[in-house]
Each structure stands twice: as C-alpha cells, then as structure tokens.
Amino acid sequence: SLRGSWRLRSGNGSVSLQAEVPGCVHTALLRRGLIQDPYYRFNDVMYRWISLDNWTYSRTYKTPFDVRKWQKVNLVFEGVDTVAQILLNNVTVGRTDNMFNRYSFDVTSIIQEVNVVEVHFLSAISYAAEQSRCHKTHSIPPACPPPVQKGECHVNFIRKEQCSFSWDWGPSFPTQGIWKDVRIEAFNYYHLIYFSITPFFEKSTQQWSLEVESIFDVVSSKPIVGLVTVNIPKLQTQQTFSVKLQPGEGSIVLLVNINKNSAVEAWWPNGHGKQTGYNMTTTFMMEAGCQIEKFSKVYFRTVELVQEPIPGSPGLSFYFRINGRPIFIKGSNWIPADSFQDRVTSDTLRLLLKSAVDANMNALRVWGGGVYEQDEFYDICDEMGIMIWQDFMFACALYPTNQNYLESVRAEVSHQVRRLKSHPSIILWSGNNENEAAIASNWFSIPYADIGVYIKDYVTLYVKNIREIVLSEDKSRPFVASSPTNGLESVKEGWVSRDPYDTHYGDTHFYDYNSDCWNWTVYPKTRFASEYGFQSWPSFSTIEKVSSPEDWSYTSNFSLHRQHHEGGNIQMLQEIGRHFKLPQSPDPVKQFKDMIFLTQVMQAQCIKAETEFYRFSQSEIINGEGHTMGALYWQLNDIWQAPSWASLEYGGKWKLLHYFAQDFFAPLLPVAYEDKGMLHIYGVSDLHEDHKLTLRVVVHAWSSLEAVCTLAKEGVTVKAQSAVPIYEESISDLLERCRNCTRRSCVITFCLVGEDGLRSPMNHYFLSSLKDAVGLEKTQLSASVSQQDDIYIFVLQTTAIAPFVTLDVGSIKGRFSDNGFLMTEKKKMVVFYPWEPTSIEELESSLILTSLLDVV
C-alpha cells in the first residue's frame, strides 16, 4: 500500500508540504496550518486559488519484494481526483480524467528497488474550461452556475463530483488529490480484481440460487485451469466447479444452487424484517499452485419495480416489491457528507445512517450530483436495512457524447456496477438527476430546431451506453434512465417524455415556495415522490463555529453569502409569516436565534404536511390520481454549515425536521386533513397485519392544560400496509361538541392505541394559523436532568400548553428521543442519547429550552 505520507507542492513550487494519502490539497494545507478552516466565513471564495493551481503529489518508496521474481506488477489507484499525469521513475505510466474510475497501470518494466512516483494534477477548473472550448459541434449547457452559488463553470465537461463546483446548498471546492487507496500489486499468474454475488429466486421451484462472478487479471499466455469451491456452512451448501481462465481479463461466472433443505432467511428493509446475511467462503485453487480465499457476506432478496395499469386511473403504477412484498418507501436524499471526501470517516457515515434508521426511514436516494459512495456506506446500509436508489453521477445538466467522454463513462459505469452490485441495499440504478426534465421543460432555452441534437445525445449517453452496460453487468435490479421520469411511458416516448412530472407515471420532484405549505391540495397526488422539500437554517451552535459575531443577523453579508438558493432567505420569511409572527426582538442576536428556530419549525411543519399527504394517498385513487408508494424528501444531510433543505446539520445534529420525521415516518400513524369543512383522519400502517385499535381524539383549548373534550373510538381497523379512513366529522360539529371551542382557541391531538402495547405517536392538527391563536400564554418551562446508565433523562415541566417545545444542548453531540413537540401535559420525560461522553453538569449548563412563545 502507498497510503500515508507523500510530498505535495504547488505549481511553481512556492508551497511545499507533507500530505496524507488518501487525501486532497485542501485538507493537507489545513492539517499543516497553512490555511484556516475552509468552511469559516467567506473562505470558500478566499481560497479559490487552491483549485486554480496545478499541484503535484510525490513519494519515494522501496519495493518490499524482489521485483525480478514477479511476472506482473501493477500500480493501482482506486480513485484519483481528477485530471492527472502519473509518472514512475520519470516515465509516464498513464493519465487519469475520471474521479469515479479505478486505474491500474502496468509498471512491470519500470519498477525498481527504489522508486519515485509522481502524480501531476491539472486544475479541474482549467481542464473543464478547456474541454468546453474544444467542444466545437454544439454548446453543452449550462455553462456556469447561477451567480448566487459563487461557483465554477463547465462542470459537465469533467467526470468529477458535480457539486464540487458549487450547488444550491453547497460551496465550490474543486479538490485535487488521491482520494482513495493507492497500491502496488505483484503477481505471477492471476489476480482477482472484482468479485460479486447476485441472488436469484426461482418462483416455480421456490429455490434460491447465487450468481458468483469473479474477474481476474491473467498474466499467463495460455488459459489457466483449476477448481473453485463455494461454501455457505449455515445453509449446508457447498459446490465445487472446474473452471478455465482466459489470458487478459478473464472472468468466471458460477451458478450456485442453495440446498433446498435449508431455510433461507431473506434480507428485509428496516421495519419489515431482519437483515440476515450468511458467511460465504470462495476458494480458488488453480493449477499454477497459487490459492486465493475470498470471504464474503451473502444476502438473499429480490426486487421488482412494478409499473402496471391501475383500475380507475390512467397511466401506470410505480412501486417496489421486495421479496414479493410491496413496500412503501420512506426516507430522504443523500448528498456528499463533506466537500473533502477524506474527512468522511466510517464514524461519520454510521452516525448519519443510524440517524436515518432512528427516524423510521427505510430508504435513501444517493443523488446524482455527488459521488458513488464508499464501500463502507453500502455495507452499513446492508446491515441497517436501508434501501438505496442509486443515481449515476450526472445532474441538472446536458453532457457531451464525444468518443473519449463516452469511453471514460463506460469504464466508470462498468467499474461502479461491478463494485456495488453485491449489495442488497441497492434496489435501483437511475441514469441521472433531472436531465430528462431539463430537456422536456427546456431549462436551457434551446431553440426548438436544435432540440433533436440534445435528445440524440441524451439517448446515446444514458440508453445506448449506461443502460446497456448496466443491463449486461447486472440482471438483478431495475434501471430507470432519469429521475423524475415517467418510467415505461418515457421509454415509449423515446426516453424523453412530454412531461416527466406527470403524476400518472413514474416519480416526481416537487418544490413550491409560494403556496401555503399547510394546504395539502397544493401537493401532487403522485405515484412516487422522490424529491420535495423546504429550507431551514442550521442551529446557532452549528453556525457559530464558522462565523464571527458581526455575522449573527438574518440579513448580514454572511447570511446572504451562505444562502446559495436564489431568494431562499426571503422565501423562508414568507413561509413563516403565513402561520407565525415574525421575530421583533430589539437584540439582534436574539432575533437571529429566533429566526433560526422559526425556520426549523416551519420546515418541519411543511414537510410533515406534505409527507403525511403522500402516506395517506397510498391506497386510494381520486380523480385518477394516487397510489403514492414513496416519499423521499430533499435532503437528509449537509455538506457544510449553511441554510439548506437538510434535516441533519453538518456534524450530524438533528434539526426539528428530523425529529418530526421520526413521527411522520412511524410504522403506525393517524393522519388528519381537512376538506370542505370536514375533518378526516386516516390510519396509516406499514405493519404486516391488520390491527383493531382505539382512536383517541383529544381537543385542547390553548388556554388550559385540561382537555376540553375527549373522544375514544374503539374497534377501529387499521389495515396492513395501507392507509384507510377511520374517522370523519365536520369541524363545526366538533367545535360545538367541545364546549364552544373556536378554530382559534383550540387544537386537536390524536393517536392510535392497541391492546398489546402497540401505539402510534401523538399527532396534532392546527385549526388556525398559530399567529391567530387565542389563549396561548407564555409558559414557564423547566427541566431536571438525571443519568441512567449511559443515557440522560430530562423531565420537563410547563405551566401552560406550549407548542414546539425544543431542547437544545448546543454542541454536545447526541440526540433527544423527541423534540419540537406540542406539550399538553404538565410533565414530560425526554431521553438524551449522547454520541460522546458528557455529564449532567455539562448538559444542564448547555440546555436552552424554547417554545413558540419565547419568540418575541
């Protein structure tokens, strides 16, 4: 391995330092104290010079073996970011131009006892500009990102993380570096490069089988024969095969039938069963006498993307069946966890993914403007039961299709599919993010006469190249060309449909910052909502780390600088103003903190309303629309500390939205909405059995902790994996029944309770905007903290009903069991789960309690 310490120098040699590999220039400069935190204040713009320079990594190393004894020696880079020339002992062994590719260079004739390896990088910014300039036939829009993003141009001309040139939630840090493993491999006969296992289930015989594929680099000039044994002890399955490896890139595909007498436990998504995996050993014994043993985990699951006619509705369904069972997809969209990938450790990933599972998610979409995630990411998803919708890395742009570009993409796709296809968590390959929509809706104002050229490019790239490779490499999963798409209907219309946002087909992305987000009628009754969202600001403790006191106001230069979405800060104000009073504190810092709080309340409440709408639409067709079978909000995580659509802040802290998600994605949930003066409550369930439950509806006046009236409806049947109406009453009857409540003076809470301890979260329905609420009083909130083993118990007390009660312990890492809740009882217990050691004293001194009436 050549991991570890390298030399790094700038283009003209004026900066020279020690650098870690894997790593990048920015983190190397930061580690050596040559720059400040790149995320601090305006440093994204101040440090543009780093990305504009051409840096060189170099290192001298001794070969740890006798070079003369080996038939073949390769220099292997698992990932180079991005454009580089690679020299060994002053001989150019190759060039790289694709961050997502694996590069292996034959250095047999060049390697010596002592070697100098050099990687000469070219600035990604200048390379992209040059590629764009050389592309003479037609322009490939967009040329540059909107000015508000403070980014770089022509990112679509370089096979690099697309958001590294800036995005509407992230900074521009076009890194250079050796971002993954680098090593020397020496062998005499054959060497294993890729190994994958794909399960198949034969319905007619009820038997599982595995396709085990191995791809080798074979040195010998004639075929090598031998034996391969596959052994899965737990399933009493062992098979031996005679095989023959062809010279060059030799591959072996074995079909292993699982012993019929063994009960196979399938892999299930979170909330639907266990994530059972089996240990498997594959032993290669080839005539050349060199034996390879490969240990792997094997999982059994099937996936189908069902697109079929629905009675009473034009169009087609769009939902996933896992192991033959339809699954409602609940989750979010994943973006890169850092601008500097070497900072994304397995701890970072585990924390974020565990938070997804803790919020009752079962799926994430790895979005096409980032990176194909590291192996560890998918391993953790396999283990936790998180299904992955995997985009290929193309987003919000048109792309070139010249020969060199296509060859690079073909290598990238083939490498990534081979690397990832054994993961049961991956349930779908998707060609790109929003590029079908970009053409169909003509985002880039292409003259009508020229549109054909771009459609041809589109089909060439995503259908004739990417899709073709995916289908030949992986027959076990569905593929869609884009998101949003109309699925089979898009295919029928030549891969670019008239309206990719059509609710009757495929998936939709939906954003609307101008309507009232509490009003469910503005949302599309779609088959599958794969993106939707609202922005908020991260908490003050997160912002504080990268700002100085003069930045702490909603209208400061810093607040404008961090907002990369045009008009975003104003949109949040407008959305808040619909339902809440805007903060008026004379103290500017207090006003800033109040604004942050309200943006989080607003975001949580908006996405709650929208997600509940998608969940209650799963079992019904109304005016030809419905059967919604997926809700993935935009977005799960943050790349830096800034306003964004995320529910987890940079560093992993939960925003209020993430606490709300824990409830709105709960396996059992009552959901209320209002239509023409009627209150409707649906019972939504992901459980595998029907349940007879009691629906409790409690009406509170804002002015009192005593309930005004309570209704218990017993024997309510909530059906397995569906959403059914369980209660309706006109609001006027309800108000009358409850001792002269008015819309402004009362609030409705409700939950489902079963005999066996089964219960849903408590849900609520506001009868008016809270800015118009009558009787709300400022409360005295207090909390006492105690410790129990390694968790902490907060006992809260209130003197009045309090909406959006929020506990914040600043930068102490951890999460609460519940937050941002409506407190209708004098006492409530909340648990704090620390992610690092803390103490009662630390928690007490950091705790800030806020509820809606603390905003002035």
Side-chain angles (χ1 to χ4, degrees):
S1 171
L2 295 179
R3 295 171 83 100
S5 191
W6 289 51
R7 289 303 300 169
L8 175 60
R9 65 173 190 276
S10 59
N12 64 7
S14 62
V15 182
S16 172
L17 61 148
Q18 186 192 344
E20 285 299 306
V21 167
C24 71
V25 175
H26 288 81
T27 49
L29 291 167
L30 179 62
R31 276 210 183 114
R32 288 269 156 284
L34 296 172
I35 58 171
Q36 283 180 305
D37 176 359
Y39 286 169
Y40 182 68
R41 298 195 79 207
F42 306 95
N43 283 349
D44 54 323
V45 175
M46 303 294 288
Y47 292 157
R48 270 193 77 202
W49 62 271
I50 299 171
S51 305
L52 290 165
D53 205 343
N54 304 318
W55 297 79
T56 295
Y57 276 81
S58 60
R59 128 160 222 185
T60 304
Y61 71 94
K62 269 203 176 94
T63 309
F65 49 82
D66 184 345
V67 291
R68 292 161 304 188
K69 286 192 176 153
W70 298 90
Q71 291 278 311
K72 187 162 184 190
V73 183
N74 285 339
L75 173 58
V76 180
F77 289 87
E78 288 293 336
V80 180
D81 175 18
T82 292
V83 185
Q85 176 188 9
I86 292 161
L87 293 89
L88 184 64
N89 304 328
N90 277 332
V91 180
T92 298
V93 295
R95 293 173 188 277
T96 68
D97 62 5
N98 188 327
M99 177 180 180
F100 308 123
N101 230 331
R102 173 183 185 277
Y103 290 93
S104 181
F105 303 108
D106 184 346
V107 294
T108 317
S109 55
I110 306 164
I111 197 160
Q112 298 162 7
E113 269 180 60
V114 177
N115 302 275
V116 179
V117 59
E118 291 179 286
V119 182
H120 293 285
F121 282 97
L122 176 63
S123 158
I125 300 167
S126 26
Y127 172 85
E130 177 62 20
Q131 290 299 303
S132 164
R133 205 165 51 249
C134 296
H135 194 278
K136 298 281 196 278
T137 49
H138 53 289
S139 70
I140 307 282
C144 299
V148 68
Q149 290 179 20
K150 302 164 234 353
E152 303 294 350
C153 303
H154 305 297
V155 71
N156 46 348
F157 276 94
I158 180 168
R159 290 312 296 143
K160 177 174 170 60
E161 176 183 46
Q162 296 291 279
C163 66
S164 67
F165 277 42
S166 82
W167 214 260
D168 57 6
W169 37 251
S172 173
F173 283 113
T175 43
Q176 289 171 43
I178 302 168
W179 75 293
K180 287 185 178 246
D181 204 20
V182 51
R183 60 183 179 272
I184 298 284
E185 290 176 348
F187 48 98
N188 277 333
Y189 305 104
Y190 68 115
H191 177 70
L192 183 61
I193 318 174
Y194 296 103
F195 180 81
S196 64
I197 312 165
T198 319
F200 292 96
F201 185 67
E202 184 50 60
K203 280 206 183 98
S204 57
T205 58
Q206 291 288 301
Q207 183 170 22
W208 285 98
S209 60
L210 297 173
E211 189 179 275
V212 180
E213 186 179 8
S214 316
I215 298 173
F216 292 89
D217 185 347
V218 182
V219 189
S220 109
S221 53
K222 58 182 206 312
I224 301 179
V225 297
L227 297 175
V228 181
T229 301
V230 176
N231 185 15
I232 310 171
K234 267 257 174 84
L235 295 175
Q236 290 92 43
T237 297
Q238 181 167 336
Q239 266 172 269
T240 301
F241 304 82
S242 302
V243 296
K244 186 190 272 188
L245 276 180
Q246 297 302 330
E249 189 175 271
S251 78
I252 306 175
V253 179
L254 309 172
L255 196 66
V256 177
N257 288 315
I258 300 301
N259 186 334
K260 276 193 126 165
N261 302 323
S262 296
V264 173
E265 280 190 24
W267 179 94
W268 286 97
N270 177 35
H272 290 277
K274 292 199 287 209
Q275 290 77 44
T276 308
Y278 295 90
N279 292 330
M280 169 170 136
T281 310
T282 310
T283 313
F284 301 88
M285 284 170 299
M286 309 307 278
E287 59 178 350
C290 147
Q291 178 175 332
I292 296 179
E293 250 190 329
K294 183 83 189 154
F295 299 101
S296 26
K297 254 276 194 267
V298 56
Y299 297 91
F300 295 87
R301 72 111 189 81
T302 61
V303 55
E304 303 153 275
L305 172 57
V306 184
Q307 301 182 68
E308 294 170 349
I310 299 174
S313 174
L316 299 168
S317 64
F318 190 92
Y319 69 90
F320 291 91
R321 263 205 300 250
I322 306 292
N323 304 324
R325 184 184 281 278
I327 303 278
F328 186 98
I329 302 281
K330 304 184 292 190
S332 187
N333 286 261
W334 173 272
I335 64 161
D338 205 296
S339 291
F340 312 107
Q341 278 293 318
D342 52 292
R343 302 206 293 203
V344 183
T345 62
S346 57
D347 287 354
T348 313
L349 294 173
R350 195 165 276 281
L351 188 67
L352 293 167
L353 292 170
K354 175 82 169 78
S355 291
V357 166
D358 287 343
N360 288 308
M361 296 183 185
N362 61 24
L364 293 170
R365 170 170 169 249
V366 175
W367 167 78
V371 297
Y372 304 95
E373 277 300 332
Q374 41 188 296
D375 296 344
E376 195 117 15
F377 173 91
Y378 301 96
D379 288 339
I380 298 169
C381 291
D382 293 346
E383 174 198 317
M384 293 185 176
I386 302 171
M387 294 176 280
I388 296 295
W389 170 315
Q390 179 66 52
D391 280 4
F392 286 95
M393 294 300 130
F394 302 85
C396 302
L398 305 182
Y399 287 86
T401 54
N402 46 305
Q403 220 30 56
N404 287 354
Y405 188 85
L406 287 178
E407 269 169 36
S408 182
V409 167
R410 287 179 72 89
E412 161 191 331
V413 170
S414 154
H415 166 59
Q416 295 297 345
V417 173
R418 287 171 176 183
R419 175 174 80 95
L420 298 174
K421 69 179 178 183
S422 304
H423 290 283
S425 51
I426 299 175
I427 59 166
L428 176 77
W429 302 110
S430 172
N432 65 67
N433 173 70
E434 296 183 351
N435 301 350
E436 178 185 342
I439 296 177
S441 315
N442 202 3
W443 292 0
F444 307 120
S445 313
I446 294 160
Y448 186 71
D450 301 341
I451 215 99
V453 177
Y454 294 95
I455 292 178
K456 186 170 179 287
D457 276 357
Y458 181 91
V459 173
T460 299
L461 180 57
Y462 304 110
V463 183
K464 294 186 175 156
N465 283 278
I466 295 177
R467 178 173 179 270
E468 187 182 287
I469 290 173
V470 172
L471 295 185
S472 74
E473 289 283 348
D474 180 14
K475 305 201 172 20
S476 73
R477 297 178 174 76
F479 171 90
V480 292
S482 186
S483 173
T485 180
N486 288 342
L488 293 177
E489 179 60 22
S490 287
V491 179
K492 206 162 109 190
E493 293 179 36
W495 299 95
V496 175
S497 59
R498 207 176 36 76
D499 172 20
Y501 297 95
D502 189 332
T503 53
H504 302 92
Y505 299 96
D507 63 326
T508 55
H509 295 186
F510 181 79
Y511 296 95
D512 175 357
Y513 310 112
N514 300 315
S515 306
D516 175 5
C517 76
W518 290 18
N519 173 9
W520 60 273
T521 64
V522 304
Y523 300 124
K525 211 166 178 76
T526 173
R527 306 288 190 223
F528 197 107
S530 50
E531 270 194 34
Y532 58 96
F534 296 88
Q535 282 197 320
S536 72
W537 273 79
S539 31
F540 184 73
S541 61
T542 297
I543 288 291
E544 195 176 15
K545 295 182 179 71
V546 290
S547 56
S548 69
E550 74 237 49
D551 301 328
W552 298 340
S553 106
Y554 198 71
T555 51
S556 67
N557 286 340
F558 171 83
S559 291
L560 273 171
H561 179 80
R562 283 316 243 224
Q563 175 56 272
H564 281 198
H565 165 60
E566 192 63 62
N569 288 350
I570 290 158
Q571 285 167 356
M572 282 186 268
L573 280 181
Q574 287 171 332
E575 206 59 75
I576 291 166
R578 283 199 172 87
H579 298 292
F580 304 100
K581 293 176 179 139
L582 290 171
Q584 304 291 329
S585 171
D587 171 359
V589 177
K590 161 88 168 111
Q591 193 181 359
F592 184 48
K593 289 178 175 175
D594 285 347
M595 273 310 305
I596 290 173
F597 171 72
L598 282 179
T599 64
Q600 290 207 16
V601 166
M602 176 274 296
Q603 177 196 36
Q605 193 64 26
C606 289
I607 294 187
K608 169 187 192 287
E610 188 164 356
T611 307
E612 288 182 348
F613 170 72
Y614 295 138
R615 286 193 76 188
F616 82 65
S617 299
Q618 68 182 279
S619 306
E620 64 186 16
I621 294 290
I622 290 178
N623 301 329
E625 294 180 316
H627 275 216
T628 308
M629 283 298 285
L632 299 171
Y633 66 76
W634 185 270
Q635 68 207 62
L636 179 74
N637 56 320
D638 258 332
I639 199 166
W640 71 333
Q641 308 90 337
S644 82
W645 293 259
S647 63
L648 296 175
E649 302 178 5
Y650 180 77
K653 185 171 180 174
W654 288 27
K655 285 183 179 175
L656 287 189
L657 167 56
H658 209 80
Y659 287 105
F660 274 47
Q662 190 174 224
D663 286 350
F664 64 59
F665 281 146
L668 176 68
L669 184 71
V671 171
Y673 72 97
E674 202 181 312
D675 192 21
K676 303 186 182 69
M678 293 293 288
L679 177 73
H680 298 265
I681 298 180
Y682 276 54
V684 179
S685 171
D686 287 325
L687 306 171
H688 292 189
E689 272 128 31
D690 294 0
H691 284 278
K692 270 220 176 344
L693 305 167
T694 300
L695 171 69
R696 287 203 184 131
V697 181
V698 180
V699 178
H700 279 275
W702 286 121
S703 55
S704 163
L705 283 164
E706 298 301 316
V708 176
C709 65
T710 304
L711 172 114
K713 182 180 172 187
E714 291 175 9
V716 171
T717 300
V718 175
K719 292 182 70 113
Q721 294 193 275
S722 56
V724 291
I726 52 176
Y727 182 76
E728 64 177 63
E729 184 176 12
S730 83
I731 301 271
S732 54
D733 288 358
L734 181 120
L735 294 175
E736 197 137 309
R737 185 164 62 78
C738 295
R739 284 188 293 179
N740 304 327
C741 256
T742 69
R743 276 182 174 273
R744 292 180 172 193
S745 67
C746 290
V747 60
I748 303 174
T749 63
F750 46 97
C751 71
L752 287 164
V753 187
E755 319 223 300
D756 41 5
L758 180 68
R759 63 180 310 139
S760 74
M762 178 65 73
N763 206 343
H764 60 259
Y765 183 74
F766 297 131
L767 293 164
S768 75
S769 290
L770 293 194
K771 64 180 180 185
D772 302 325
V774 174
L776 262 180
E777 299 157 26
K778 194 163 162 41
T779 169
Q780 292 310 121
L781 281 173
S782 61
S784 61
V785 190
S786 58
Q787 188 174 354
Q788 202 179 327
D789 303 325
D790 44 13
I791 60 170
Y792 294 87
I793 313 287
F794 286 69
V795 176
L796 266 65
Q797 302 208 7
T798 180
T799 53
I801 283 199
F804 304 108
V805 173
T806 303
L807 303 91
D808 188 337
V809 287
S811 49
I812 297 175
K813 285 189 182 315
R815 72 163 182 98
F816 291 95
S817 54
D818 193 1
N819 221 341
F821 44 83
L822 174 65
M823 197 159 167
T824 55
E825 285 168 342
K826 287 188 181 115
K827 251 191 181 164
K828 183 175 167 85
M829 192 184 85
V830 176
V831 178
F832 181 72
Y833 301 99
W835 297 332
E836 58 184 22
T838 181
S839 65
I840 292 178
E841 297 71 49
E842 226 183 351
L843 289 166
E844 283 177 339
S845 63
S846 305
L847 178 67
I848 297 169
L849 284 174
T850 312
S851 76
L852 188 63
L853 271 83
D854 294 311
V855 173
V856 289

